[in-house]
Amino acid sequence: SRLVKTHAEAGHTPVVIAAGRAVRAVAAFGDALRPEVRENLNRLRALGFRFEILSGDHQIVVDRVASDLGLPSGSARGEQSPEEKLARISELRAIGERVIMVGDGVNDTAAMAAATVGIAVHGGAEACLRAADVFATRNGLEPVTEAVSGSRRALAAIRRGIAISLGYNVVGIGLALSGLL
């Protein structure tokens, strides 16, 4: 019906309530995007990340969310089964992509386990939490952004330590070979 399509295009999931074959009501459910989501996505974009949405929700709803987030056309896949999510993550991994999968439901567990890093968000299903490498204890995308930024800083510190150690050892070996150490 037109009302169902209107709700879906607005980014809500419509539910038709019927008695027999007669539609009695249409309810629409949805979550507003958190205000900080765009900012966090922009921070992650600046770090070189690109995004895809894999959702079990209707394609029209997913397209609306993708549009609201400024994601490119074709980067949002709706009506995805757990198997289709897993297949997409596996496809990306097969071509050498490093994939971070963020999820909250049982339908995300297989894809999350197949990802390079799986992140379960606060309030997620227990099965999802078990499949995840990282669990965000706070709501929203901010913990994901913090985890990514923190891991990048940690890797940079490790690389600096290795470089300093290598330099120290090269100098030490040179001094030892020359008889000065």
Side-chain angles (χ1 to χ4, degrees):
S1 89
R2 192 174 55 85
L3 189 56
V4 168
K5 186 176 180 184
T6 300
H7 284 304
E9 288 172 346
H12 301 108
T13 299
V15 176
V16 177
I17 302 165
R21 292 185 171 259
V23 173
R24 300 290 181 197
V26 175
F29 298 93
D31 293 318
L33 288 176
R34 293 173 161 284
E36 73 277 0
V37 169
R38 285 178 196 84
E39 176 189 334
N40 281 286
L41 290 180
N42 287 335
R43 287 174 52 197
L44 291 168
R45 269 190 198 101
L47 293 172
F49 286 88
R50 61 184 181 82
F51 309 97
E52 290 188 20
I53 297 175
L54 303 174
S55 175
D57 291 334
H58 193 279
Q59 186 65 50
I60 295 173
V61 174
V62 175
D63 287 341
R64 174 59 186 254
V65 171
S67 174
D68 288 349
L69 292 173
L71 298 180
S73 176
S75 65
R77 298 172 187 223
E79 303 171 32
Q80 297 288 291
S81 69
E83 295 80 13
E84 290 170 318
K85 291 179 183 185
L86 173 60
R88 179 60 181 152
I89 298 301
S90 298
E91 177 185 321
L92 291 168
R93 294 292 309 272
I95 61 171
E97 295 284 342
R98 291 177 290 169
V99 178
I100 297 174
M101 170 72 180
V102 179
D104 67 350
V106 174
N107 58 350
D108 297 323
T109 57
M112 196 173 296
T116 311
V117 176
I119 301 177
V121 296
H122 180 74
E126 189 172 326
C128 180
L129 301 179
R130 283 196 298 268
D133 300 302
V134 177
F135 169 61
T137 58
R138 296 187 334 261
N139 289 326
L141 194 55
E142 183 71 24
V144 174
T145 305
E146 289 173 359
V148 168
S149 297
S151 67
R152 291 238 170 145
R153 286 191 306 274
L155 284 173
I158 290 168
R159 287 185 184 112
R160 278 192 306 275
I162 290 171
I164 290 168
S165 175
L166 182 62
Y168 177 83
N169 285 319
V170 167
V171 169
I173 290 170
L175 291 173
L177 290 174
S178 66
L180 297 172
L181 180 67

